[in-house]
Amino acid sequence: MNLSFTEEQTLLRNSVARYLADNYGFQARRKFVRSPEGRDPAHWRAFAELGLLAAAIPEEHGGYGGGAIESMIVMEEFGRALVIEPYVSSAIVAGGLIVRNAATALQEEWLPRIMAGEAIVATAFAEPDGRDDPAKVSTTARKQGAGYVLDGRKTAVAGAPWADAILVSARGPRDGVSLFLVDGNASGVTAGDYPTVDGGRASDISFERAEVPGGRLIGETGAALPLILRAWDEAIAAHCAEAVGAMSALLDQTVAYAKTRRQFGQPIGKFQALQHRMADMFVALEEARSMTLLAALKLGTPESARTAAAAKVAVGKAARFVGQQAIQIHGGMGMTDELAAAHYFKRLTMFGALFGSADRHLARFAAL
């Protein structure tokens, strides 16, 4: 099997890497992460101009017709730079769900806005009593006239403080799960915003008789769970690529530090014990890279769910190992806010909780 990237995919990687190297440096990121908004909207507009927000949208909808491999390439470079913008939720998950399942009017209204960087869509699938399982839905939806009324709570909605709309799963009177596109400022929608440990922003959202027009239904009534599970696997594959990028950058920084930090009259990188640690970090990174590529290649096939679960477990294990070893080699300064290693460690730690824990996906893998 030829696993080489095409010329177009290589150009995509180079353009993303060049923009981030020139404009998304660590010190600049630290500054806007601490700002009241928590981000610099100029970067989102630049992603749109580079075509990144349209990369995974089919050409018939005005996108560039890329697929899982293109998303993997973008997310790996985002992981290297610790990009905090909600690319996965808006461009990959929401964009994909709208392309595949929304009515034409909804597609024409939202896809151009998403691709142009004029709108951000967050995804609210997790609930307080089921954060690891999108099938555990207690939020309710009942018919009211031509629309619906939602009641319930969603938790840890990444990027929601910046979102113009939210994709919300809710259970109807016939026990099926439906999916709705809800305006962020709709009546009955209350959000509690907070910063996350890795520098991002999230919200816990309550719906109290929140009215949703009938045209905002994604897919058929009560039949959205398979759509959500497919999008869940796409998000897992994308975040695995992000973790690979973060691990790669952290390993490079750790090796560079070991070459310059001196102890007992020589660089600590000359000590065999630390050389073995860094070699093990490299092996873990390459194993994670292979599992991420496999997960991306299997998306949309019958093996998609099982492979995504396996990738989440394997990459999560590697992320934990690489992060911990990097902090050990850096010593106490590795946990200081001024050093990039601490921020990579936090992001890799956060990865372990995204879209289900390792235990949850290990059980899912066994069940499948």
Side-chain angles (χ1 to χ4, degrees):
M1 179 182 292
N2 181 12
L3 297 179
S4 301
F5 292 107
T6 66
E7 182 179 355
E8 291 79 8
Q9 290 167 345
T10 301
L11 289 172
L12 173 64
R13 182 187 297 277
N14 292 341
S15 66
V16 177
R18 184 164 53 250
Y19 173 82
L20 294 175
D22 293 341
N23 302 281
Y24 214 96
F26 174 64
Q27 294 303 330
R29 178 187 181 276
R30 283 185 71 206
K31 183 177 180 180
F32 61 70
V33 162
R34 294 179 173 185
S35 69
E37 187 173 359
R39 63 191 283 262
D40 183 352
H43 293 302
W44 195 253
R45 294 192 294 270
F47 294 164
E49 292 171 1
L50 288 170
L52 304 186
L53 304 184
I57 305 296
E59 293 180 359
E60 57 266 31
H61 293 285
Y64 291 101
I69 299 301
E70 285 74 17
S71 296
M72 181 189 75
I73 290 170
V74 172
M75 287 304 297
E76 185 174 342
E77 295 306 318
F78 279 9
R80 290 178 184 273
L82 291 177
V83 172
I84 60 170
E85 274 70 26
Y87 183 83
V88 172
S89 65
S90 191
I92 296 178
V93 176
L97 284 167
I98 293 173
V99 163
R100 292 189 296 266
N101 308 292
T104 301
L106 207 59
Q107 292 174 344
E108 292 176 350
E109 178 185 0
W110 283 92
L111 290 177
R113 296 179 62 195
I114 291 173
M115 292 186 290
E118 297 172 356
I120 292 175
V121 182
T123 53
F125 301 150
E127 300 195 355
D129 59 348
R131 297 179 66 170
D132 272 8
D133 188 354
K136 292 182 178 179
V137 181
S138 299
T139 299
T140 61
R142 59 184 175 84
K143 202 82 169 67
Q144 179 173 286
Y148 298 84
V149 173
L150 304 187
D151 289 281
R153 293 180 60 203
K154 297 293 183 178
T155 189
V157 183
W162 308 319
D164 301 279
I166 309 162
L167 279 175
V168 182
S169 57
R171 195 171 294 278
R174 297 182 180 178
D175 204 38
V177 176
S178 300
L179 188 62
F180 303 90
L181 185 63
V182 182
D183 286 337
N185 58 359
S187 176
V189 178
T190 305
D193 304 336
Y194 51 86
T196 58
V197 68
D198 60 341
R201 299 291 171 95
S203 302
D204 291 338
I205 303 177
S206 297
F207 302 90
E208 298 181 8
R209 295 184 55 82
E211 297 183 2
V212 184
R216 293 298 186 89
L217 178 70
I218 306 292
E220 299 294 329
T221 304
L225 186 56
L227 315 181
I228 293 171
L229 292 176
R230 174 177 173 174
W232 211 47
D233 290 337
E234 291 173 344
I236 288 170
H239 280 301
C240 283
E242 181 189 16
V244 167
M247 283 188 278
S248 179
L250 184 54
L251 177 57
D252 290 344
Q253 293 174 16
T254 303
V255 171
Y257 176 78
K259 289 179 179 179
T260 57
R261 174 70 167 90
R262 299 182 66 84
Q263 189 70 34
F264 304 110
Q266 59 182 326
I268 63 173
K270 288 188 173 293
F271 296 120
Q272 192 175 57
L274 297 189
Q275 292 175 358
H276 288 171
R277 285 195 181 197
M278 289 181 282
D280 289 342
M281 291 167 68
F282 176 78
V283 171
L285 168 61
E286 292 306 306
E287 289 175 346
R289 194 187 306 277
S290 296
M291 282 303 303
T292 297
L293 180 58
L294 180 63
L297 290 171
K298 291 293 185 180
L299 286 175
T301 72
E303 296 84 17
S304 176
R306 197 165 190 261
T307 308
K312 186 63 167 65
V313 174
V315 178
K317 180 180 178 181
R320 182 180 179 87
F321 176 77
V322 170
Q324 290 180 342
Q325 294 301 312
I327 296 301
Q328 286 287 323
I329 293 173
H330 278 87
M333 67 179 295
M335 288 303 296
T336 60
D337 186 72
E338 291 78 9
L339 200 69
H343 297 259
Y344 283 99
F345 178 73
K346 291 175 182 178
R347 184 58 190 165
L348 292 173
T349 300
M350 179 68 80
F351 170 79
L354 288 174
F355 293 92
S357 66
D359 289 343
R360 154 69 180 154
H361 284 285
L362 193 60
R364 185 183 181 216
F365 178 84
L368 290 168

